[in-house]
Amino acid sequence: MKPDQNDGSGSRRSLALDTRLVTGGRDPFAHFGFVNPPVYHGSTVLYPTAADMVAHRARYVYGRRGTPTSEALESALRDLEGPQCAGVALMPSGLSAIATALLAVTNSGDHVLVSDSVYRPTRTFCDSVLKRFGVETTYYDPLIGADIATLFRPSTRAVFVESPGSQTFEMQDVPAIAAVAHARGAVVLADNTWATPIYFRPLEKGVDLAIQAGTKYIAGHSDVMLGTVSANAALWPRLKETVMQMGVCVGPDDIYLALRGLRTMGVRLRRHQESGLKIARWLAERPEVLRVLHPGLETDPGYAIWRRDFSGASGLFSVILKPAPQEAVYAFLDSLTLFGMGFSWGGYESLVVWFDCSSYRTATRWNPGGPALRFHIGLEDPDDLVADLEQAFAKLRAASSSADGAPQNATDAPP
Ligand SMILES: *Cc1c(COP(=O)(O)O)cnc(C)c1O
């Protein structure tokens, strides 16, 4: 049995995603039958003869330029993105994947359009490095759809989408935006960390470069930093060249952990989805809750687009509480025992952060009407999570009735 050669041949394409997650990027009988590919630690690669060296005749030439270990993960990921994917580049973090992808498609004097709801460090990169290099950014309302045409200039080279948006979960009409961009000669980049290619395949919807923070669901265990960029055939040469020129690469042990995470990503995501929806619905009924921001809920404004373009939801969503004093929100958060407070998400464990994006969004106004909490629902038993939330709401109510302070919002300072 040689399940994988990942040559893009039709036979693998007919396999279901779960099967491809299990079989992708490995060839046991190339490694004495061991199920998992070996981890190659290497910088120098030796040539057997002077003639080989002079002619660069070698399958691998230098650690930074690729190893059997990096190729195994790249090939497994390429397999998930669909037939439009011509290549995948691995990066040391999600943010480095975003930065490298943006640098690959822009030149000095260009203009880029970036959703107002992007991951905040994406915005910081545009406002610092891109700006210094003479690339101008305009932020747009994530709900703009085909009207994004009105923001195009002759110099507009790229549109960056993130759907659903970071923290606030607005769904974007990616196919409509991509159609407008392509008609004007611009390329489309998507941060697809929330859905992963298991629930949304951007390259099939007109995106040219699809980015993931592999730190989240691919790794899945809160123990690895990783980024990935998947390119279509038009963009792959430019992306690959930029990656080589920038010198970014990932250590083999991190790649190995990511490959290990990938094997279970399908079952993990189904559980994140199921528990996430269950808890989102439970939260929506709570008297302390104003609204829940989860595109997989029928009542969500993004539901129609999510239904049309996505095949599932992951475990990350937000909740707006009714106005409450700061100490009551602190009492709620501090009494949770199964929800850790910390940045990042996508691991097996549940998390919560108090956020406020009102200070930095510029194309839209974030005015939620109460404290905003982002939850990541992990793989714990959802009934235990509900019980934990229930006791925390009791603390919130007790602290609200004893407090006389004015309602407060979080100060936002993500990494
Ligand atoms: C976490 C995150 C990133 C950045 O990934 P890192 O690996 O932490 O650099 C990018 N985009 C989104 C949507 C994220 O949530």
Side-chain angles (χ1 to χ4, degrees), residues 371-385:
L373 304 177
R374 190 192 69 185
F375 287 96
H376 180 249
I377 304 304
L379 305 179
E380 304 89 344
D381 189 307
D383 293 338
D384 286 336
L385 297 176

Side-chain angles (χ1 to χ4, degrees), residues 239-293:
L239 175 71
K240 189 175 182 192
E241 185 184 270
T242 306
V243 170
M244 290 298 154
Q245 289 158 349
M246 302 277 292
V248 278
C249 56
V250 183
D253 294 316
D254 287 346
I255 294 174
Y256 183 80
L257 286 172
L259 257 177
R260 178 199 263 242
L262 200 65
R263 306 298 176 204
T264 58
M265 190 162 80
V267 285
R268 282 188 286 111
L269 274 175
R270 275 200 290 284
R271 172 72 172 219
H272 286 298
Q273 162 166 257
E274 197 186 311
S275 297
L277 280 167
K278 179 173 179 170
I279 291 171
R281 291 201 170 99
W282 181 83
L283 284 163
E285 299 300 317
R286 291 293 309 186
E288 302 87 351
V289 168
L290 203 54
R291 63 205 164 97
V292 176
L293 313 177

Side-chain angles (χ1 to χ4, degrees), residues 17-31:
L17 271 176
D18 277 338
T19 310
R20 275 145 59 183
L21 285 169
V22 167
T23 55
R26 65 192 184 90
D27 182 5
F29 291 101
H31 309 288

Side-chain angles (χ1 to χ4, degrees), residues 93-96 98 119 162 166 191 193 213 215-216 225-226 344-345:
S93 69
L95 182 57
S96 71
I98 291 163
Y119 178 63
E162 183 179 327
S166 265
D191 184 333
T193 302
T215 309
K216 312 287 167 57
M225 301 297 301
L226 182 81
S344 202
W345 48 276

Side-chain angles (χ1 to χ4, degrees), residues 394-412:
K395 304 282 193 313
L396 176 102
R397 285 195 306 274
S400 296
S401 52
S402 66
D404 52 10
Q408 297 256 345
N409 254 330
T411 51
D412 195 67

